[in-house]
Amino acid sequence: MSNTDEDQHFVKNAVDAAINIGVLFGLVMWCFNIAAPFIQVILWGIIIAIGASPIYRWINHKLGGRKGLTASVFIVLMSAVLITPSVYFSESLLASVQALSADIENNTLSIPAPPAAISDLPLIGEKTYEVWHFAHQQPQQFLGQYETQAMAGAKFFVQSFANIGLSILMFLFAIILAGLFLANAKGGRAAAIKIMSRFFGERGEPLTNLAQQTVQSVVTGILGIAVLQSILAGAGFLAMDIPGAAILTIICLILAVVQIDILIILIPLSIFAFSHAGTAAAIAFLIWNIIVGLMNNVLKPILLGRGVKAPMAVVFIGAIGGMLAHGIIGLFVGAVVFVLGYTLFADWVRQQDAETANKVE
C-alpha cells in the first residue's frame, strides 16, 4: 500500500471515529436531557433506600421475607412519617400567618416585652433590646417602618410554602422508588458493582461498598442528628407554648442540616421564657435547650464516618461542600464523590510508594 493510500485510510478511519464519537456523545446528552427531570427523584430514592435499609430488613423479617408485602408496608410507613409532620407544620404555619394577618388588620397586634437580659448580650444586645422594645411599645409603627422587609418576607413565605408542597410530592415518589429498590436490592447492588467495575476494575465492589457506607454515615451523622435535634427542640417549644413553634422548629432543622449551631435560636428563646413562664419552667427549658444544642457535638464524632474507611473530616468536608454546591442532596452526593476521590488518590499514593520501595530494593 502506497503512502497516499495509507494517508487516505488513516483520514477515513479518523473521520469515522469522529462521527461515531459525535453520535455517541449526542445520544448520551439526549438521554441525559430526557432523564434530567427524574434524576433528583431517583437519587433521593437511592439515598432513602440506603439510609432506611435497616428499617426495611426489620419489616421484612417480621413479615416472613415476603418482599412485595414488605415493600408496600415500607412505602406506607415512610409516607406516613413524611406526611404527618408536614401536614402538622403546614397547618401550624398557616394558622400563625392567618392570626398575624388578623391582628394587623384589626389593630390588635401585641408583641411581648423584651427580657432585660437581652441588653446584656455582647455586640448585639443593646440594639436588639432597643428594636424589640420599640416593637413592643408601637407594634403598628414598627411594622410600618419595616413594611418593605415584611412584604419581602411574606413573598418568601408564599414561595417557600409552594416549594414545600412540591418537595413533599417529590419525596413521596422517592419513597415509592426506595421501596422498589429495596425489594430488588440484590439486583440493584449487582448492577452498581458491574458499573463501578467497568470504570475501576477490581476495585469496583469495594468502592460500591464505600459509597453505600458513606451515604449511611451521612444519613445518621448529619441528617439524623439534625432531625433529632429539631424534633426535641420543637417538643420544648410546644411544651413552653412558644409563639411560632412550627416555624422555629423548621428554622432549627435548616440550621442543623447546614451545620450552624441551633443554640443561636435556643438561647434567646430560653431568655424569653423567663419573662413568658415561671422561673422553674424557664430553668428546665434552658437546661433542655442546652442539652439539645450540645447533642450535635457529642453524637457527630460517634456517628459521622462510622463504618467508612475514610477520615471523618473527609466525609464532613464532602457533605458540607456538596450541600453548598448542590443543595440538600449534595450532602450525600458530595460526601460520596469526595470520599471516593480521596480513596482513589490515597490508593494512587500508596501505589507510588510501593513502586518506589521496590526500585530501592
Side-chain angles (χ1 to χ4, degrees):
M1 182 181 295
S2 64
N3 290 336
T4 303
D5 292 337
E6 289 180 356
D7 291 342
Q8 291 177 348
H9 183 69
F10 174 78
V11 171
K12 180 178 181 301
N13 289 340
V15 172
D16 289 342
I19 293 174
N20 290 336
I21 293 173
V23 171
L24 180 61
F25 178 77
L27 181 61
V28 170
M29 292 303 298
W30 198 354
C31 291
F32 177 81
N33 289 333
I34 293 173
F38 307 98
I39 289 177
Q40 190 172 15
V41 177
I42 294 172
L43 285 175
W44 273 118
I46 294 172
I47 291 167
I48 293 172
I50 294 174
S53 57
I55 299 174
Y56 178 88
R57 288 195 295 268
W58 179 80
I59 297 174
N60 190 46
H61 175 72
K62 293 297 182 180
L63 295 179
R66 289 176 287 183
K67 293 183 179 180
L69 180 59
T70 301
S72 300
V73 173
F74 173 84
I75 291 171
V76 172
L77 178 63
M78 293 297 292
S79 299
V81 170
L82 171 67
I83 292 175
T84 302
S86 299
V87 170
Y88 169 77
F89 284 127
S90 297
E91 290 179 348
S92 180
L93 283 170
L94 188 60
S96 299
V97 172
Q98 289 176 340
L100 178 61
S101 300
D103 286 336
I104 293 174
E105 290 178 0
N106 300 326
N107 199 21
T108 58
L109 180 63
S110 175
I111 298 176
I118 287 288
S119 60
D120 297 330
L121 294 175
L123 300 178
I124 62 171
E126 292 184 5
K127 183 63 176 179
T128 302
Y129 183 87
E130 291 176 3
V131 174
W132 192 340
H133 184 70
F134 173 68
H136 168 66
Q137 293 289 337
Q138 303 290 340
Q140 296 296 331
Q141 293 183 19
F142 173 79
L143 289 179
Q145 183 176 345
Y146 294 95
E147 183 177 359
T148 303
Q149 293 87 337
M151 292 297 295
K155 183 178 179 181
F156 173 79
F157 172 80
V158 172
Q159 293 175 344
S160 300
F161 202 78
N163 291 334
I164 289 173
L166 292 175
S167 298
I168 292 174
L169 185 61
M170 183 193 72
F171 275 106
L172 284 175
F173 282 115
I175 288 171
I176 295 172
L177 287 177
L180 297 176
F181 290 153
L182 287 168
N184 299 278
K186 290 184 178 179
R189 173 178 168 77
I193 292 174
K194 285 182 180 179
I195 294 172
M196 293 292 281
S197 298
R198 186 66 177 170
F199 287 104
F200 304 107
E202 61 184 12
R203 289 182 293 183
E205 184 171 359
L207 290 177
T208 302
N209 294 334
L210 182 62
Q212 177 183 344
Q213 293 161 1
T214 302
V215 172
Q216 290 174 335
S217 173
V218 174
V219 167
T220 56
I222 293 182
L223 193 60
I225 295 175
V227 172
L228 179 61
Q229 278 188 296
S230 60
I231 290 175
L232 294 178
F237 300 157
L238 292 175
M240 293 296 294
D241 196 24
I242 299 293
I247 298 176
L248 291 170
T249 302
I250 292 175
I251 292 174
C252 287
L253 176 60
I254 295 172
L255 292 177
V257 169
V258 301
Q259 299 301 291
I260 297 176
D261 201 329
I262 64 172
L263 284 173
I264 65 173
I265 299 293
L266 300 183
I267 294 301
L269 289 176
S270 299
I271 297 173
F272 168 74
F274 280 92
S275 64
H276 178 71
T279 303
I283 292 175
F285 184 57
L286 174 62
I287 295 173
W288 175 262
N289 284 338
I290 292 174
I291 294 173
V292 172
L294 296 179
M295 186 180 298
N296 184 48
N297 300 330
V298 176
L299 294 180
K300 186 189 295 178
I302 299 174
L303 298 177
L304 187 62
R306 186 180 64 177
V308 180
K309 294 181 180 179
M312 187 189 77
V314 173
V315 181
F316 183 75
I317 292 172
I320 301 304
M323 183 186 63
L324 294 175
H326 305 292
I328 297 299
I329 199 169
L331 272 174
F332 308 94
V333 177
V336 169
V337 171
F338 203 65
V339 167
L340 292 180
Y342 167 83
T343 302
L344 291 172
F345 178 75
D347 289 347
W348 176 74
V349 171
R350 283 192 292 267
Q351 184 179 0
Q352 290 292 104
D353 291 341
E355 291 177 357
T356 303
N358 291 333
K359 288 179 180 179
V360 172
E361 293 177 358

